[in-house]
Amino acid sequence: MKKVTVSGLLKKKHAGEKITALTAYDASFAKLFDDEQIDALLIGDSLGMVLLGQDDTLNVTVDDIAYHTQAVRRGVQRAFVLADMPFMSYATPERAYDNAASLMAAGASMVKLEGGAWLCDTIRGLVQRSVPVCGHIGLTPQSVHVFGGFKVQGRQSEQAQQIIDDALALEKAGIQLLVLECVPTSLAKTITDKLSIPVIGIGAGKHTDGQILVMHDMLGVSANYMPKFSKNYLAETGDLRKAVNSYIDEVHSGAFPSDDHSFE
């Protein structure tokens, strides 16, 4: 079984093949997703909401992410494994280096940071220290209190241009993947076309290079609410493996996300 690598994900972008990703938090679900040929798994700070029932992601710690990264890594043979850097764990470059080292040691192949051009120095430092980085812009959940809630970003032209500028700056600084969350479909297409690295969307429409969902949303078991951009595949299939397969197939075919799961 050939392992998925960041270079393999880049090849998918250039070949026009969609990338599939889900969050995962334990070995059993990680193995199930891996067996069904998911491309990438993210140990997300979303665990604060879907596992712990918190209102946001801000109380999640590096130790939390490291613990769940170790569990996911034990269940994976093929999929590419990313780990979230939690709130304030990269407030300074030095903190970012130490905390990223902990997550890489726990089994991550890449770390993900939320934020725009202000992170460029930190990203350059991580890359120089052999830590692969995934960026995350648009709706960044760690900034929920700045945004005043979980709101679509980039609907106004000035804000949209800032998101484009951030994406380009992050790529230049050295990120190898970008997660783009809750932005209009047209903006996501512009960014995907401008960047040479893969862009993974969540609530960003069908024109990104791939899709990621929180596993609890995809299975319809989230404790809080079902986001507009998600789809309950378990309700449609009645079986966990069939649900994962259906999600993967619909991403590959372009059936998901539909307009119903996107923003304009």
Side-chain angles (χ1 to χ4, degrees):
M1 186 179 296
K2 187 176 180 180
K3 288 188 176 181
V4 179
T5 63
V6 69
S7 60
L9 297 177
L10 181 60
K11 287 179 182 178
K12 279 181 172 285
K13 176 186 177 81
H14 293 326
E17 300 174 7
K18 294 293 187 180
I19 297 164
T20 60
L22 287 167
T23 64
Y25 313 96
D26 64 48
S28 295
F29 273 105
K31 184 178 186 305
L32 187 154
F33 299 154
D34 196 52
D35 288 347
E36 302 310 314
Q37 306 292 292
I38 201 79
D39 291 320
L41 294 174
L42 168 68
I43 299 86
D45 57 7
S46 50
L47 70 87
M49 301 177 74
V50 297
L51 297 187
L52 303 178
Q54 296 167 348
D55 292 332
D56 52 43
T57 66
L58 303 186
N59 291 312
V60 175
T61 67
V62 173
D63 286 344
D64 291 334
I65 298 291
Y67 174 87
H68 289 279
T69 299
Q70 289 174 332
V72 167
R73 173 54 71 186
R74 294 184 190 109
V76 167
Q77 291 187 339
R78 175 184 176 276
F80 190 71
V81 176
L82 302 92
D84 260 342
M85 296 278 283
F87 180 62
M88 293 300 288
S89 67
Y90 46 98
T92 66
E94 290 72 23
R95 289 186 68 181
Y97 305 154
D98 289 343
N99 290 323
S102 296
L103 297 182
M104 296 293 286
S109 296
M110 178 177 281
V111 298
K112 180 169 74 65
L113 287 70
E114 296 182 10
W118 65 271
L119 278 172
C120 286
D121 287 343
T122 297
I123 291 167
R124 281 189 285 267
L126 286 168
V127 172
Q128 288 168 354
R129 289 160 177 79
S130 302
V131 178
V133 180
C134 174
H136 183 159
I137 57 176
L139 172 59
T140 48
Q142 292 175 17
S143 302
V144 61
H145 296 307
V146 175
F147 295 147
F150 295 97
K151 298 179 179 180
V152 178
Q153 302 296 304
R155 279 181 161 154
Q156 292 76 39
S157 58
E158 184 176 343
Q159 189 183 54
Q161 186 60 53
Q162 182 61 59
I163 294 173
I164 294 170
D165 292 345
D166 283 338
L168 293 169
L170 293 175
E171 180 180 40
K172 186 176 181 181
I175 65 168
Q176 293 176 282
L177 292 175
L178 179 69
V179 170
L180 191 55
E181 181 169 356
C182 285
V183 300
T185 299
S186 58
L187 174 58
K189 183 179 188 305
T190 297
I191 291 171
T192 303
D193 290 345
K194 283 181 176 290
L195 267 56
S196 61
I197 60 172
V199 177
I200 312 300
I202 177 168
K206 62 184 179 181
H207 299 299
T208 55
D209 299 308
Q211 301 292 325
I212 185 169
L213 287 177
V214 173
M215 58 165 280
H216 293 71
D217 294 341
M218 188 270 293
L219 298 174
V221 295
S222 291
N224 296 318
Y225 75 103
M226 177 67 72
K228 168 186 165 65
F229 54 73
S230 192
K231 180 177 178 181
N232 185 346
Y233 283 92
L234 185 58
E236 289 190 353
T237 61
D239 179 87
L240 284 173
R241 292 187 183 276
K242 289 180 181 178
V244 177
N245 272 315
S246 182
Y247 167 65
I248 291 172
D249 289 346
E250 288 197 356
V251 172
H252 284 164
S253 71
F256 179 84
S258 68
D259 291 343
D260 290 340
H261 308 105
S262 306
F263 303 100
E264 294 300 334

